[in-house]
Structures are given as C-alpha cells and as structure tokens.
C-alpha cells in the first residue's frame, strides 16, 4: 500500500516528468463499449493534436501513434498509460494534499467517482450509465488533482467538460469549482454530435452525479427506487390489501437499474429483473442485491409465482433478454401487477439496449461494425417489447416509464405507444405519477452527505442526528407530507442495517427544504463540537425538485407548456453559486440522454464554522424552493401548498402564485 507522503507527492506531480510505460489493456476490468468510428481522417488528426496539448513536446513523437491507436481501437483517446498506479478511492481527507480544505473534500469526491468498487468503467473514467464521465482522459484527472491540491480559498477552478481550464482569482464565498459538462449550441445536440465532440476530446457526457463528483454508489438510487416501487405498489393495492406478494417485472441490473431487486425486496414485493449481461447479473447476486439468477424463462416465472403464493418478498434475475420475458409473460397470461424497464435507452445505439434475437456478444460486435443494421434491430425489438407490454396492461398491469427514455425511443421506433391524442404516451413516467406529485412538488428530493473522515462511526453519528431531526419535524408536519416523513424516518432508521455503503461513507435521505436545512445545521453543530471528526460534504442527485429540466422525466409532471424550457435548472445553479455552494455543475444530458435534459447540482462543505451555517441556510432554502416555485406556477397543487407554507416560514421570500382559471370559462371560448 502506498504511504501518505508518496501519495501526496504523486498527486502534486500532475503530469509526470518521465513518461510512464505503456499500459496493458486489462481484460478483467469492466470496460466501456468500443465507440463507433465517427471522425474523418482530418478530424482524427485534430483529435490527436488536441490530446497532445496536455504534454511537453518532447513526449509527442512517442505518444502520437499510441493516441492514434487508442482512437482507432476504442473510438476515444483515454491516455491509458497515465492512469495512476495508486488506488483511487475516497481516502480520509487528511491524505489529500491541500491548501483549501474545501478543495481537499472535492478531491475525495472525485476519487470516489473513479474508485474501482464504485465506477462502472474505471479505466475509461466512466462512473455510471455507460457514458457518464468524470473526465475524458487521464491527463485531465492528473492536472485537476494537482490544481485542487495547490489552490487556495481565494481561487476558483474552472472545468470545461472534464478539461481543467485553470485556476482564477475569486473569493472565500465563491464556489471553489465551477463545472460545465456537455454544454453545446442547441442545434448541435444530437447523439452523433456527442460522439464526435467526445472523440475530438472537446466535450463529455457528465450524466448527473458522474461529472459533478457527487455519485455515492448504488444506495443513492436504492432509496429513490424504493420510494417508487413502494408507491407504485400502493397505487395498485386495492382496499388496503397491502403490497406483499405483488409482482413487479422490469429489466436492467446495471449501475442504477441494479437497485431494482434490492428496492423491491425492501418494499416487500416479488420481482423478476431481466439482464442480458452475465457480469452485471453476477455482480448484483454476489452483492446480495438479487436473491437468485435463473436463465430459463419459464423457471424464472414459476419461481416468482411460488413466492407470490407465500406472499414473501423475493427477487429473481432472469439472465436473458427482457423481450423474451415479456413475451412469455403475455403468452402464459400471467397477472403482472407492476411493470417497468431500466435498460439504458438514453444511449440506445452504443450498448444501452440489447435487441432480442442477438446474443450479448453479437450485439456488441454489430453496434461497432454495422451500426445501421444494429439500429434497425433495436427498433424491431422495442416494437415487440411494447406489443407484449400492451397485452399485459390490457390485463390490468400498471406500467410506468423509468426515466430511461424507454417510451420516447419506443415511439421513435414506431411502436404502438402513443395515447389517443397522438401527443402523450399511453403510459405515465414514474415522475408524472409518483415522484412528481408525491415528492418533488412538496420539495422532497435526494439529499445526501459524505463524511470526509471516511469513518463508519461518523456516518452512524450523522444517521442518528438526521433521524432525530426528522422525528422532531414529523411531530408537527401537516397531513399532506406525513406519509413521506414516515417512509423517510423508516429508511434512515434501517439504513445502517441495510449495508448500503459502497465507496465513501455516504448517506442518502429524501428530505424537503425544512428537513435538509435542519439536518445540515445539526451536522455543522456536531462538527463544531467535535462529535463528528471531520467536515461533511452535502449534496444531492441532480434528479431533484429544482436541479433538472427534463421533459420526459423530472419535469414530466409540468403541464403548463413550459416543460421544454430550461430556465429552472440554469437559475438554480446560478442561484446556488452566489449563495454559498462549494462547487456547482450544469450539464447537458443525464438520465434520458444528450440533448434531452439540462441538469445541475452542487456540493457544499460543512466545517463547523459560522460561515458554513450562513451558507447552508441561504443556499438550501433556494435550492429547494426554486423548483417548488416553478412547479407551483405550473399549477401543481402540492407545490402551491408547499410554497405558501414556505412563504409563511420565510416572510422575506415572496413568490408569484398562480390564480386558477375556471376550465369552463376557457372551454366556452371555443
Ligand atoms: N434507477 C433510477 O432511479 C433511474 C432513474 C432515472 C433514470 N434511470 C435510467 O435507467 C437507465 C439504466 O441506468 P443504469 O445506470 O442501470 O445503466 P446500465 O447501462 O448500467 O444498465 C442497464 C442494463 O440493462 C441491460 N440491458 C440492456 N438491454 C437489455 C435487454 N434488452 N434485456 C435485458 N437487459 C438489457 C444492460 O446489459 C445493462 O446491464 C438509464 O437510462 C438511466 O438514466 C434510472
């Protein structure tokens, strides 16, 4: 193991003075799919010239042919030989060389996103979702870490899509880092534009928490997925019969989707999740997140039926294509209660979706060698999938889109998925039916924190503090949010026992503005008094009340015609930046795909100081109420309730509230 001093030296070195030896391509690592060749010869020259910008001229003749090889073999220049030999992980904060403790906390968060135990394709600097990048190449990593190690609280580091543009003078209250990912001129925001800009080394897809250093492993998603499955179950359970024994069918055991069987078990239902990639299925099985793996489709269904009879939660991974599972379900006329899909359709042509009829390996080969034929097969597969789903919904199944662009891509494939009005989809998204009206409109969202001591004891202390705060708030919470409060208190009480930590000592807890502010203040007090040994980083998923404008997901329950605007996400990140965020980020893409969403987030370091208290109170209030205001202006009932309540608590906040026109009055005009 490397010593602390050697680690510090290597971080401070940045780009090494002596060229490291070329790196072997390690076969046992989960690598990113080979990206298609999209550049012309002239563009390839430009990509290589761009990559060489990071290195002294004396290295160029050796690196140029290697970069050409990477570009032509993998579709990108990752600069594998510069990958550090030390383990990249969320070490305790004192390991990171620093002049600014805020910058050290950011180094910890960057490291967590690239940890082998956390990242999906660590050698390609991809954290999750197949293409969610922290950096485009290893030179960017090395230079960024060096900048963070050397910067002071009077400087701000500027990151352009993984590229560290530099350090600029600023001030103590300014963000230490400002991140933009994938921001392009709107007319150049098609998936192939991303392929091209990324291959040129000038832009990247940051997903949500990948490019903003806020990913905390799968627990982030387990909580949200539990809330979704639990509330979907409540929707389909009639006459208070309970949700035990209900059957949930879905697909995907990848980065986020892998949370589904675990969440289904926590919610108490029986589930089958189809997964085509044996490595992904085995990883979840070894982790204990799925109870069994079955590769025969009939046996998978029979097993589910058995567990349903016993009314006991049980999760089955069907190792095969989701289309085969849906078609078999329809053929056998199985009564399915809830259905969804979590293949990565935000990225349909490059490994996000595997068409039925091809093996996993055949698909991987075809998407690189014959992308046109591959696209056709994906379209056919989606049409078959929808046909089977339509049969099952006709038999009473509740189906929802899981924010992965499933309905969007199915409609583009020509599948029978449009509602009678030709505008909407036949099925709701989980945000339209569940997350939006039950959580986001009231300000509840995926608040999270990371203990920078990296000590489990500190995490336990924060869990207890958060639980006490929520229990206190629940005593006087209005009826409208009491179910939420109960679910969240149960979650935090059981969080430790559910063993959800992978990577940094982190916790997610859905909370509203009041909860977030009170919990953060209590953490800051505990750091001051020494009950928590080191600073705590606050943050959230971008998939939240205010952070994301995404018409097919986060803002799909906005019905005033504004769901294709992105003012909220942009206002949010600007507002966070001058109210005390330690770092901020704004991304194109994330979740549903490049060009389909603008999303942003923040990180905030609490160090027990009075400045931290001032910043947390000011920024968290805005970070939640911005979105509630917009949702209220869109006439969402829960949000109107929530913003009126917030204005009573904060009289200096004066929000424009809608007057509701009588529908009949409008109807009579035409
Ligand atoms: N979990 C959430 O709360 C959440 C929320 C919003 C959106 N999403 C979306 O869900 C999608 C999945 O995310 P991820 O991080 O798990 O991606 P991922 O790429 O890691 O996992 C997707 C998995 O689906 C499998 N797959 C693809 N096609 C298949 C098929 N036809 N049959 C069976 N398996 C197939 C892949 O092998 C892969 O393991 C993304 O589009 C993401 O944006 C998830």
């Amino acid at each position: 193991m490397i010593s602390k001093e050697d680690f510090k030296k290597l971080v401070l070195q940045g780009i090494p003075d002596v060229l490291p030896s070329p790196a072997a391509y390690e076969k046992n690592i989960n690598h990113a799919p080979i990206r298609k060749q999209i550049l012309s010869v002239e563009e390839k020259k430009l990509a290589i010239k761009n990559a060489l910008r990071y290195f002294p001229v004396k290295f160029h003749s050796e690196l140029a042919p290697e970069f050409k090889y990477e570009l032509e073999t993998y579709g990108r220049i990752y600069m594998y030989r510069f990958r550090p030999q030390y383990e990249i992980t969320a070490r305790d904060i004192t390991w990171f060389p620093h002049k600014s403790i805020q910058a050290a906390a950011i180094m910890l968060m960057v490291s967590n996103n690239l940890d082998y135990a956390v990242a999906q394709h660590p050698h390609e600097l991809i954290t999750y979702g197949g293409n969610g990048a922290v950096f485009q190449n290893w030179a960017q990593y090395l230079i960024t870490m060096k900048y963070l190690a050397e910067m002071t609280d009077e400087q701000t580091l500027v990151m352009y899509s993984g590229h560290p543009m530099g350090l600029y003078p600023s001030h103590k209250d300014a963000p230490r880092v400002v991140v933009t990912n994938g921001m392009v001129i709107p007319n150049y925001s098609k998936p192939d534009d991303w392929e091209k800009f990324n291959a040129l080394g000038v832009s990247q897809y940051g997903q949500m928490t990948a490019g903003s250093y806020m990913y905390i492993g799968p627990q982030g998603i387990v909580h949200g997925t539990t809330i979704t499955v639990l509330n979907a179950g409540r929707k389909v359970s009639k006459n208070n019969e309970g949700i035990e024994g209900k059957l949930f069918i879905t697909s995907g055991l990848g980065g986020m989707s892998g949370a589904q069987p675990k969440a289904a078990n926590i919610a108490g239902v029986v589930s089958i999740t189809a997964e085509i990639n044996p490595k992904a299925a085995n990883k979840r099985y070894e982790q204990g997140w799925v109870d069994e793996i079955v590769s025969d489709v009939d046996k998978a269904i029979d097993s589910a039926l058995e567990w349903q009879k016993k009314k006991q939660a049980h999760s089955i991974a069907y190792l095969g294509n989701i289309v085969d599972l849906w078609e078999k379900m329809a053929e056998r006329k199985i009564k399915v209660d809830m259905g969804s899909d979590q293949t990565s359709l935000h990225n349909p042509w490059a490994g996000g979706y595997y068409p039925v009829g091809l093996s996993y390996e055949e698909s991987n080969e075809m998407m690189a060698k014959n992308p046109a034929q591959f696209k056709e097969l994906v379209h056919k597969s989606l049409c078959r999938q929808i046909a089977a789903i339509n049969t099952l919904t006709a038999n009473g199944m509740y189906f929802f889109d899981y924010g992965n662009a499933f309905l969007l891509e199915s409609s583009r494939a020509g599948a029978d998925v449009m509602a009678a009005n030709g505008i909407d989809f036949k099925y709701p998204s989980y945000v339209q039916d569940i997350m939006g009206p039950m959580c986001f409109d009231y300000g509840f969202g995926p608040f999270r924190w990371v203990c920078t001591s990296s000590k489990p004891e500190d995490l336990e202390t924060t869990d207890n503090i958060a639980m006490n705060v929520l229990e206190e708030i629940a005593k006087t919470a209005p009826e409208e949010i009491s179910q939420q409060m109960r679910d969240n208190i149960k979650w935090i009480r059981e969080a430790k026992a559910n063993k959800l930590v992978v990577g940094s000592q982190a916790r997610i807890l859905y909370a509203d503005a009041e909860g977030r502010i009170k919990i953060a203040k209590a953490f800051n007090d505990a750091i001051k008094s020494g009950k928590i040994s080191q600073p705590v980083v606050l943050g959230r998923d971008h998939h939240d009340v205010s952070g994301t404008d995404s018409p097919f997901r986060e803002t799909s329950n906005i019905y005033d015609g504004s769901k294709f605007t992105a003012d909220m996400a942009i206002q949010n990140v600007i507002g966070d930046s001058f109210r005390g965020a330690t770092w901020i980020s704004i991304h194109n893409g994330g979740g549903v795909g490049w060009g389909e969403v603008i999303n942003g987030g923040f990180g905030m370091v609490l160090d027990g100081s009075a400045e931290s208290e001032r910043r947390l109170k000011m920024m968290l209030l805005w970070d939640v109420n911005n979105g509630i205001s917009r949702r209220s202006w869109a006439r969402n009932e829960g949000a109107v309730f929530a913003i009126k309540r917030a204005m009573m608590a904060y009289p200096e906040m004066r929000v424009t509230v809608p007057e509701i026109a009588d529908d009949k009055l409008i109807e009579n005009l035409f």
Side-chain angles (χ1 to χ4, degrees):
M1 208 187 89
I2 190 168
S3 74
K4 208 178 201 177
E5 284 325 300
D6 286 348
F7 175 72
K8 287 187 177 185
K9 267 189 220 146
L10 285 173
V11 170
L12 285 164
Q13 167 186 264
I15 301 282
D17 296 333
V18 179
L19 264 188
S21 358
Y25 188 79
E26 288 177 32
K27 289 253 162 59
N28 55 345
I29 294 289
N30 191 352
H31 286 286
I34 290 170
R35 312 293 184 192
K36 68 179 172 185
Q37 292 293 317
I38 191 149
L39 302 184
S40 66
V41 172
E42 284 312 306
E43 287 166 340
K44 280 186 191 171
K45 290 180 192 166
L46 186 59
I48 295 164
K49 213 165 126 181
N50 286 348
L52 291 172
R53 283 186 282 194
Y54 290 104
F55 305 97
V57 172
K58 62 178 178 181
F59 295 158
H60 286 191
S61 58
E62 187 166 345
L63 292 179
E66 186 170 303
F67 290 171
K68 176 173 182 281
Y69 173 81
E70 286 191 13
L71 187 60
E72 292 186 333
T73 312
Y74 311 115
R76 299 289 185 270
I77 301 173
Y78 297 112
M79 310 179 179
Y80 286 121
R81 79 154 81 194
F82 292 95
R83 191 169 51 76
Q85 292 311 301
Y86 57 77
E87 188 190 358
I88 303 183
T89 186
R91 296 158 194 273
D92 118 38
I93 193 166
T94 61
W95 275 68
F96 296 99
H98 64 270
K99 293 180 183 153
S100 154
I101 194 76
Q102 297 187 343
I106 299 170
M107 296 166 90
L108 181 152
M109 299 294 284
V110 167
S111 304
N112 190 56
N113 273 22
L114 293 170
D115 186 333
Y116 275 29
V118 174
Q120 186 184 17
H121 308 304
H123 286 194
E124 288 79 27
L125 303 111
I126 301 289
T127 301
Y128 72 93
N131 54 1
V134 190
F135 300 101
Q136 299 178 64
N137 57 56
W138 287 101
Q140 294 178 343
Y141 165 83
L142 294 175
I143 298 170
T144 302
M145 292 293 276
K146 182 173 163 66
Y147 276 142
L148 287 166
E150 289 174 345
M151 74 185 289
T152 70
D153 283 343
E154 305 283 343
Q155 288 171 304
T156 291
L157 172 63
V158 172
M159 300 295 299
Y160 279 36
S161 277
H163 168 66
M165 189 55 88
L167 289 173
Y168 299 85
S170 64
H171 56 88
K172 284 198 174 62
D173 271 330
R176 294 282 70 78
V177 181
V178 174
V179 177
T180 52
N181 276 310
M183 300 313 290
V184 294
I185 304 303
N187 270 347
Y188 301 86
S189 204
K190 295 271 179 290
D192 268 355
D193 294 318
W194 167 70
E195 293 278 356
K196 191 168 181 169
F197 301 146
N198 196 221
L200 283 171
V202 296
S203 190
Q204 76 174 6
Y205 191 78
Q207 272 283 11
M208 294 196 152
T209 53
S212 63
Y213 330 136
M214 194 42 79
Y215 188 68
I216 55 163
Q219 73 158 308
I221 231 65
V222 176
H223 189 18
T225 312
T226 304
I227 290 175
T228 305
V229 178
L230 194 63
N231 286 305
R234 285 177 183 147
K235 267 176 122 42
V236 299
S237 91
K238 308 266 160 19
N239 314 319
N240 289 333
E241 62 186 350
I243 72 169
E244 295 74 24
K246 298 273 177 218
L247 180 59
F248 175 46
I249 303 298
T250 185
S251 59
L253 288 173
M256 289 197 278
S257 49
Q260 294 177 106
K262 173 90 176 169
N265 275 4
I266 297 175
V269 301
V270 177
S271 64
I272 312 182
T273 310
E275 170 56 63
I276 189 92
N277 178 355
K279 268 193 192 154
N282 285 326
K283 187 172 169 182
R284 296 306 176 197
Y285 179 68
E286 281 158 19
Q287 245 176 355
W289 282 31
V290 61
D291 297 326
E292 60 171 325
I293 301 183
V294 183
S295 27
D296 179 294
V297 68
D298 279 304
K299 285 193 181 142
I301 298 172
D302 293 341
S303 170
L305 297 177
E306 283 303 310
W307 287 94
Q308 273 195 285
K309 268 191 223 148
K310 290 189 246 170
K311 286 206 163 206
Q312 267 181 34
H314 184 75
S315 55
I316 301 154
Y318 163 58
L319 190 57
N321 200 296
I322 181 63
V323 179
D324 289 325
L325 178 62
W326 280 126
E327 288 183 343
K328 189 54 94 176
M329 287 277 175
E331 184 193 314
R332 286 180 57 178
K333 297 193 170 53
I334 303 289
K335 168 89 180 74
V336 180
D337 298 292
M338 301 168 276
S340 195
D341 182 278
Q342 256 196 70
T343 55
S344 273
L345 275 157
H346 69 271
N347 177 30
W349 324 124
Y353 182 86
Y354 287 82
V356 65
L358 291 186
S359 71
Y360 182 64
E361 292 73 22
E362 285 165 345
S363 278
N364 283 335
E365 197 178 319
M366 192 188 283
M367 71 182 80
K369 291 196 178 146
N370 192 347
Q373 191 188 354
F374 185 72
K375 194 169 175 174
E376 205 183 305
L377 291 185
V378 168
H379 278 173
K380 282 191 180 145
S381 186
L382 284 171
C383 289
R384 274 173 63 179
Q385 188 167 339
I386 289 289
I389 288 170
N390 287 346
T391 306
L392 288 156
T393 53
N395 194 25
M397 175 173 77
Y398 169 62
F399 186 86
F400 57 94
D401 182 282
Y402 215 131
N404 57 342
F406 173 67
L407 294 177
L408 181 67
E409 286 305 333
S410 300
S411 70
R412 287 173 178 163
D416 176 15
V417 78
M418 300 310 292
N421 67 9
I423 301 166
D424 300 319
F425 297 126
K426 273 187 185 177
Y427 305 114
S429 86
Y430 73 121
V431 173
Q432 274 176 301
D433 260 23
I434 299 167
M435 276 293 169
M438 294 181 191
C439 299
F440 294 163
D441 286 353
Y442 291 99
F444 286 89
F447 182 56
R448 57 185 55 183
W449 62 88
V450 173
C451 297
T452 66
S453 65
S454 296
K455 287 189 185 137
E457 309 88 85
D458 274 338
L459 185 62
E460 197 173 341
T461 307
T462 58
D463 282 349
N464 290 334
I465 292 173
M467 190 172 67
N468 292 340
V469 170
L470 287 195
E471 280 174 346
E472 200 49 43
I473 298 175
K475 286 183 191 159
T476 53
E479 181 52 32
E480 284 82 350
I481 60 170
S482 55
Q483 178 70 58
Q484 279 284 340
M485 298 299 298
R486 279 197 297 275
D487 287 348
N488 296 331
I489 290 170
K490 180 173 183 295
W491 168 266
I492 193 73
R493 188 176 295 130
E494 294 171 3
K496 188 182 170 213
N498 276 326
K499 294 197 175 86
L500 296 156
V501 169
V502 179
S504 61
Q505 291 297 319
R507 185 67 72 221
I508 178 164
L509 174 63
Y510 266 63
D512 63 358
E514 183 185 6
R516 298 184 208 205
I517 292 169
K518 287 186 172 164
I519 291 169
K521 154 102 174 63
F523 288 171
N524 201 47
D525 291 345
I527 298 164
K528 189 175 168 191
S529 70
K531 257 171 86 185
I532 299 173
S533 66
Q534 293 284 355
V536 169
V537 172
L538 300 182
R540 57 165 174 74
D541 193 347
H542 297 194
H543 174 50
D544 194 8
V545 183
S546 315
T548 297
D549 276 299
S550 180
F552 300 104
R553 212 169 82 174
E554 284 79 352
T555 40
S556 57
N557 72 323
I558 297 283
Y559 303 104
D560 70 348
S562 73
K563 70 177 175 182
F564 292 98
T565 63
D567 297 299
M568 178 179 74
I570 298 293
Q571 285 284 354
N572 209 65
V573 85
I574 294 173
D576 283 357
S577 79
F578 63 79
R579 289 185 174 86
T582 310
W583 74 100
I584 49 155
S585 56
I586 186 82
H587 302 183
N588 168 17
V592 284
W594 180 260
E596 306 284 1
V597 43
I598 299 291
N599 65 94
F602 75 88
M604 174 175 265
V605 177
L606 301 181
D607 60 6
S609 64
E611 288 77 34
S612 278
E613 184 172 326
R614 174 171 53 82
R615 290 180 191 135
L616 79 85
K617 285 181 174 164
M618 207 172 9
M619 201 212 76
L620 292 176
L621 184 70
W622 161 253
D623 189 66
V624 179
N625 280 295
N626 170 39
I628 301 181
S629 304
R630 190 268 178 104
R631 290 166 192 277
S632 149
W633 186 238
R635 293 181 282 263
N636 291 10
E637 262 174 50
V640 174
F641 167 85
I643 205 65
K644 286 184 178 164
R645 194 167 164 249
M647 283 193 282
M648 284 197 316
Y650 295 92
E652 66 280 27
M653 191 164 72
R654 294 178 55 197
V655 179
T656 318
V657 178
E659 299 289 347
I660 310 295
D662 182 351
D663 283 341
K664 274 198 218 120
L665 176 81
I666 311 290
E667 284 306 315
N668 289 342
L669 294 175
F670 297 91

